[in-house]
Amino acid sequence: MSKPVETDSFLGNFGRTFITAFQTVGAMTLLQLRIFRSLLAIKNFDYDESVTQLFKIGVRSLPVVIATAAFVGALMVVASGNFVRATGATTLIGWAAGTAVFSEVGPILIGLMFSGRVGANNTAELGTMVVTNQIDALRVLGINPIGYLIVPRFMAMIVMLFFLTAIGDLFALTGGAITCRAVLGIDMRIYWQGILDSNLLSEFIMGLVKAIFFGGAIAIVSCHWGLQVTGGARGVGRAVNDSVVTSAIAIFMVNFFITVLWT
Amino acid sequence: MYSIGNQSLVFIALTLAFLGLILVYQASYQALKVLPDLTPVGPVFIGTMVRVFGPTVVALMLATRVGAGIAAETGSMTVTDQIEAMKVTNADPVEYLVVPRFIASIIMMIVLWVFGVLVAVAAGTLIGTLRFGIQLRTFLSLSGTTMSDVWVALFKCVIFGAAIPILAADSGFKATGGSEGVGWATTKAVVHSLFTVILLDFLISSIAYRFGW
Amino acid sequence: MLQYAAQILDASLTLNDSLVLDQVFLQLESGRIHALVGAGGSGKTLLLRMLATLLQPSKGELHLFKKAINFRDLKSLRQVRSNIGVQFQNLALFDFLTVGQNVGFPLEQDSELTKDISIQVKTALDSVGLDGRQEHAISALSGGMQRRVAIARAAVAKPKLLLFDDPSGGLDPVTTSRIFELIRTIQEENDNTVVIASHDIDRLVKLCHIFHVVDHGKVIFSGTLSEARQSTDDRVKVFLDV
């Protein structure tokens, strides 16, 4: 006779977390494949809905992305300020802030913000549609929900996050410049010159490539959790929570692999 | 408190591990380009992790995990009239729901900061020693970390830990409508707390820099 | 002389720029069972919420237990609220508490009632036929049982004013009868003022003393059934089926 499984043990919890994680990854891969299948069969893909989504997403997230980016740039300058003060190498500040913003911190934080604003919202929207049987209603009408709802969101998120990251990078550098003058008391020209001298084109492009993958990851994660919702208002709230958490993990993981492959 | 800490542990471990990996990777890679000496990578990484990235990223993750959770919970209680039911029986929803989470969040923020920094340093050490061949003893050095780094970080932890549940519960209580309202409230909580963490971080860091802490 | 437990005097309410309650007069005689009838969306739930002091009228006054309610005076608001019990339309049971904790919740908040909570909870659950389920989770109960828990929670502190929002919505006829019987028993035992908002005219007619008809945010009729029969307003006759 085997002993009853102790489900509340630490190991039990750990095992359960693992199984759920694998199930989630599996389901998201399937969703990804279905999206690609719909993309290949172009007739399944709703052009108008894509344009609507593009505008909705862009307008919704632009202000918060700009504000975040500006403060992130500022934060990076303050953070490097301590080392600059220790070493006296003021010319390094542009290089340090520029590299950090372009290659890592910029894409990651704009991605996190995007997942909070757009991804979470997307989960809530799809989740509500599931709870109120709107997805079933589409199926009854013979409309493929993947092509009609998911693919446009997938495309729109990739495109928008790409542009938002590009715009955000500029605002981050500007925020850094202002902070450089206001907090560190270093002339902005030294900062800008430092950025220009460091030749950060490769970092900038890597950041944009990251944005494309982050956008795709956020889209799949948020759609997955949205379509998974069960159990009314509480279920929608929980799905949004799961969606932002999974997106954050995905962002940090994808980020690492892209950097390693790029360099 | 247990639920705030436990559910975040795996999440924080995963994200902070990847953060540690990438920071050391980038730092070593950039250091190799500029100066071929990798000895400062470890100390600088640990110092920055303790003071800058530790509190900020742990707080961002806590905002995502716990902030969203609190907003979802208080939001669904609001739209199902449970908050009104509390008011009419003279129970203060703030005292009953927010205060315990507020205290738990501050304590957990500090605990998770320590945990997150340890995980990130462990992951960073792995890649630093194995991939870039930095000596373990050179890498794991606290020479880049000062006591004031720790104090500033602790102060940040308290402030972030306090801000997240307040912002989250506020958007939860303001939820209207059915399940869509709860979704909105959760979204709002995440965005507001992420942004607030970054804003407060900037303010605290600037002030700390100005005073030379 | 008539005693009024609650009076809404010339109250209007504007929500999101639309006028949802329009110069309402509603007077609730003490110790009676009042019915609140009207089409869906006519304002019944809003009126109940106002009586529960959860909604402040934009204009006009709310009097409870012969005192005008000042929504800014939190101390006296607390005192008034300890005399009100509400069963919400969607029940609003606390899903993080057990059945027993839900019913005991109002008692815990009132320092005068904290003695022997478990006995009071047992009695209250007994009276709704749910004794022995103290430890159960709310989600483990059927819809009808949850409704009875909500009623037990509303009545447990023996409030002077007891408000029921759609106590039988979505329930089968047998359960509905039991619930209306239950409300009658509670009222007879405690002699409190009861308000029931419901669409179940047949059962309201058997149970209630006074009827109030709500239409488009106005109370268009208040009185007994025989008075309703003499009313010249067709809407009153339609809603009360007389």
Side-chain angles (χ1 to χ4, degrees), chain B residues 73 76-93 95-97 101 176, chain C residues 49 52-54 77-79 81-82 84 86 88 90-97 105-106 109 153:
Chain B
E73 211 173 333
S76 59
M77 289 185 73
T78 306
V79 298
T80 55
D81 280 339
Q82 293 180 51
I83 302 296
E84 301 277 88
M86 281 192 179
K87 281 190 199 154
V88 84
T89 48
N90 281 327
D92 183 356
E95 189 184 308
Y96 201 85
L97 295 171
R101 285 165 175 77
T176 49
Chain C
R49 277 174 184 254
T53 69
L54 292 169
L77 206 57
R78 274 186 78 90
Q79 210 157 29
R81 282 177 177 173
S82 63
I84 302 173
V86 189
F88 288 85
N90 50 20
L91 306 188
L93 294 170
F94 303 126
D95 36 28
F96 55 95
L97 299 178
F105 193 87
Q109 313 306 324
R153 186 178 72 182

Side-chain angles (χ1 to χ4, degrees), chain C residues 98-133:
Chain C
T98 63
V99 169
Q101 288 170 327
N102 260 285
V103 176
F105 193 87
L107 303 172
E108 306 237 355
Q109 313 306 324
D110 195 328
S111 51
E112 289 165 25
L113 298 172
T114 41
K115 247 195 269 163
D116 304 323
I117 286 187
S118 63
I119 296 173
Q120 295 185 61
V121 168
K122 192 175 150 31
T123 321
L125 280 174
D126 216 7
S127 70
V128 297
L130 286 173
D131 189 28
R133 296 198 183 256

Side-chain angles (χ1 to χ4, degrees), chain A residues 7-115:
Chain A
T7 42
D8 274 346
S9 69
F10 178 72
L11 265 183
N13 259 330
F14 199 67
R16 215 175 7 241
T17 311
F18 251 90
I19 292 170
T20 331
F22 277 112
Q23 280 171 342
T24 311
V25 169
M28 287 194 292
T29 317
L30 271 180
L31 181 61
Q32 168 89 71
L33 291 176
R34 286 162 76 190
I35 291 173
F36 281 145
R37 207 178 55 195
S38 278
L39 267 178
L40 289 176
I42 296 181
K43 64 178 164 53
N44 269 345
F45 152 66
D46 197 306
Y47 176 77
D48 290 340
E49 175 73 5
S50 301
V51 175
T52 322
Q53 286 293 332
L54 264 180
F55 277 101
K56 247 169 91 176
I57 291 171
V59 170
R60 218 186 261 163
S61 45
L62 189 63
V64 77
V65 162
I66 287 178
T68 314
F71 281 109
V72 166
L75 202 54
M76 284 304 106
V77 167
V78 178
S80 22
N82 285 307
F83 298 105
V84 170
R85 183 148 61 185
T87 57
T90 46
T91 44
L92 274 183
I93 196 130
W95 167 79
T99 313
V101 164
F102 279 154
S103 60
E104 306 295 335
V105 188
I108 289 181
L109 276 165
I110 292 171
L112 285 178
M113 224 54 205
F114 189 80
S115 118

Side-chain angles (χ1 to χ4, degrees), chain B residues 7-141:
Chain B
Q7 57 180 270
S8 319
L9 221 54
V10 179
F11 176 49
I12 301 257
L14 262 175
T15 47
L16 269 286
F18 276 99
L19 181 72
L21 289 177
I22 197 67
L23 284 179
V24 172
Y25 187 91
Q26 272 284 3
S28 308
Y29 178 75
Q30 300 290 348
L32 280 177
K33 275 205 296 197
V34 189
L35 48 153
D37 175 22
L38 288 180
T39 44
V41 168
V44 168
F45 161 68
I46 293 171
T48 326
M49 203 60 225
V50 167
R51 182 186 177 114
V52 185
F53 289 106
T56 313
V57 177
V58 169
L60 292 177
M61 297 304 110
L62 203 72
T64 328
R65 170 85 254 186
V66 178
I70 291 175
E73 211 173 333
T74 49
S76 59
M77 289 185 73
T78 306
V79 298
T80 55
D81 280 339
Q82 293 180 51
I83 302 296
E84 301 277 88
M86 281 192 179
K87 281 190 199 154
V88 84
T89 48
N90 281 327
D92 183 356
V94 172
E95 189 184 308
Y96 201 85
L97 295 171
V98 186
V99 172
R101 285 165 175 77
F102 177 80
I103 295 165
S105 166
I106 293 180
I107 296 172
M108 282 328 295
M109 180 65 216
I110 297 172
V111 173
L112 289 174
W113 165 66
V114 174
F115 172 74
V117 169
L118 288 179
V119 170
V121 169
T125 311
L126 267 182
I127 203 165
T129 50
L130 296 181
R131 169 79 171 70
F132 293 95
I134 307 172
Q135 284 227 310
L136 190 63
R137 223 179 301 162
T138 327
F139 191 91
L140 278 183
S141 150

Side-chain angles (χ1 to χ4, degrees), chain A residues 34-253:
Chain A
R34 286 162 76 190
I35 291 173
F36 281 145
R37 207 178 55 195
S38 278
L39 267 178
L40 289 176
I42 296 181
K43 64 178 164 53
N44 269 345
F45 152 66
D46 197 306
Y47 176 77
D48 290 340
E49 175 73 5
S50 301
V51 175
T52 322
Q53 286 293 332
L54 264 180
F55 277 101
K56 247 169 91 176
I57 291 171
V59 170
R60 218 186 261 163
S61 45
L62 189 63
V64 77
V65 162
I66 287 178
T68 314
F71 281 109
V72 166
L75 202 54
M76 284 304 106
V77 167
V78 178
S80 22
N82 285 307
F83 298 105
V84 170
R85 183 148 61 185
T87 57
T90 46
T91 44
L92 274 183
I93 196 130
W95 167 79
T99 313
V101 164
F102 279 154
S103 60
E104 306 295 335
V105 188
I108 289 181
L109 276 165
I110 292 171
L112 285 178
M113 224 54 205
F114 189 80
S115 118
R117 189 79 191 88
V118 178
N121 208 332
N122 185 40
T123 305
E125 213 172 79
L126 288 176
T128 308
M129 295 182 85
V130 172
V131 176
T132 54
N133 291 331
Q134 292 180 53
I135 306 279
D136 291 336
L138 281 179
R139 285 216 184 86
V140 171
L141 291 170
I143 297 168
N144 173 10
I146 299 286
Y148 183 72
L149 292 172
I150 310 298
V151 175
R153 286 171 162 76
F154 179 76
M155 300 296 294
M157 285 197 205
I158 291 180
V159 173
M160 269 340 288
L161 187 54
F162 178 85
F163 284 114
L164 286 170
T165 306
I167 298 169
D169 276 352
L170 297 180
F171 277 91
L173 293 187
T174 315
I178 296 168
T179 313
C180 199
R181 177 82 212 83
V183 181
L184 270 55
I186 296 171
D187 196 333
M188 276 190 211
R189 263 172 299 182
I190 297 175
Y191 168 86
W192 286 119
Q193 197 59 47
I195 292 174
L196 291 177
D197 287 349
S198 321
N199 188 19
L200 297 170
L201 190 64
S202 162
E203 277 79 5
F204 180 64
I205 293 174
M206 179 176 81
L208 293 183
V209 171
K210 283 180 176 177
I212 293 175
F213 282 91
F214 291 174
I218 293 168
I220 291 167
V221 167
S222 64
C223 290
H224 165 79
W225 287 113
L227 295 174
Q228 284 272 306
V229 168
T230 47
R234 190 161 266 262
V236 174
R238 214 179 291 136
V240 172
N241 197 341
D242 286 333
S243 164
V244 284
V245 165
T246 318
S247 294
I249 296 176
I251 286 173
F252 278 97
M253 283 179 142

Side-chain angles (χ1 to χ4, degrees), chain C residues 86-194:
Chain C
V86 189
Q87 174 249 305
F88 288 85
Q89 191 166 23
N90 50 20
L91 306 188
L93 294 170
F94 303 126
D95 36 28
F96 55 95
L97 299 178
T98 63
V99 169
Q101 288 170 327
N102 260 285
V103 176
F105 193 87
L107 303 172
E108 306 237 355
Q109 313 306 324
D110 195 328
S111 51
E112 289 165 25
L113 298 172
T114 41
K115 247 195 269 163
D116 304 323
I117 286 187
S118 63
I119 296 173
Q120 295 185 61
V121 168
K122 192 175 150 31
T123 321
L125 280 174
D126 216 7
S127 70
V128 297
L130 286 173
D131 189 28
R133 296 198 183 256
Q134 276 91 327
E135 301 303 323
H136 286 222
I138 292 297
S139 54
L141 302 187
S142 72
M145 290 181 187
Q146 292 188 1
R147 193 83 48 148
R148 282 184 276 158
V149 175
I151 290 171
R153 186 178 72 182
V156 69
K158 302 194 171 30
K160 286 195 233 163
L161 178 62
L162 196 42
L163 310 169
F164 296 98
D165 197 351
D166 203 8
S168 63
L171 294 180
D172 61 87
V174 179
T175 318
T176 305
S177 295
R178 278 179 76 180
I179 281 177
F180 275 85
E181 228 14 78
L182 189 62
I183 294 175
R184 186 201 295 277
T185 324
I186 291 171
Q187 198 274 337
E188 280 170 359
E189 272 173 20
N190 305 315
D191 194 33
N192 29 22
T193 311
V194 172

